Amino acid sequence: MATSVIEFLAAEGRSAANIHARMKTVYGEMCISDCAVRKWVRIFKGENPRETILRDRKRSGRPLSASVAAHQEKVDCTIRANRRVKQKEIANAVGISKERVHHIVTTVLGYRKVSARWVPRQLTVEMKA
């Protein structure tokens, strides 16, 4: 929240000292330090204020590889071969974490457990009754 105030006032052309003084009158003792205000003003004035984005930008790093289509197919084939298989067994067979197996099984493939068996979520209300 404070960064939005700093961004707005910096876009108006206010100095860091002026911004900190205004924030101090509003927030009192809960206000961020003068050093932090100066840092944010430097960041916002370094770029075009209209194009500044406060959200995280994409970063380089390890891509998500556990939910790729190849793993989804392996998980689906394993479940179709043995509907009583456990998520831990699937994780060991495919070589991914139990959390990713749970995500693939429930969210991507749409299975759920019924009487210790994986069943596709295609049952209607009448069929369930």
Side-chain angles (χ1 to χ4, degrees), residues 81-123:
N82 178 11
R83 295 220 183 252
R84 292 185 182 266
V85 69
K86 298 177 183 174
Q87 289 183 8
K88 188 174 185 179
E89 295 170 357
I90 297 172
N92 291 336
V94 178
I96 58 177
S97 70
K98 290 185 291 184
E99 185 273 330
R100 284 287 91 193
V101 169
H102 178 75
H103 173 75
I104 291 171
V105 169
T106 58
T107 307
V108 177
L109 299 176
Y111 286 107
R112 64 186 179 127
K113 278 281 195 178
V114 176
S115 299
R117 292 185 185 190
W118 288 109
V119 178
R121 272 192 227 172
Q122 299 171 350
L123 298 177

Side-chain angles (χ1 to χ4, degrees), residues 9-105:
L9 293 173
E12 281 187 343
R14 309 281 181 180
S15 68
N18 184 307
I19 293 172
H20 185 260
R22 287 183 69 179
M23 290 179 69
K24 190 78 168 173
T25 58
V26 175
Y27 296 112
E29 293 298 319
M30 300 302 293
C31 183
I32 62 176
S33 68
D34 183 50
C35 178
V37 172
R38 290 180 191 281
K39 179 189 108 178
W40 282 107
V41 168
R42 249 185 279 122
I43 290 170
F44 292 133
K45 286 194 175 181
E47 301 176 2
N48 184 354
R50 293 179 187 185
E51 296 175 2
T52 303
I53 300 171
L54 293 176
R55 294 181 190 88
D56 284 342
R57 293 188 177 103
K58 292 199 176 207
R59 301 178 190 148
S60 63
R62 185 174 181 193
L64 293 175
S65 60
S67 296
V68 294
H71 291 300
Q72 294 171 9
E73 289 177 29
K74 288 180 185 176
V75 169
D76 194 32
C77 289
T78 305
I79 291 174
R80 288 177 187 265
N82 178 11
R83 295 220 183 252
R84 292 185 182 266
V85 69
K86 298 177 183 174
Q87 289 183 8
K88 188 174 185 179
E89 295 170 357
I90 297 172
N92 291 336
V94 178
I96 58 177
S97 70
K98 290 185 291 184
E99 185 273 330
R100 284 287 91 193
V101 169
H102 178 75
H103 173 75
I104 291 171
V105 169

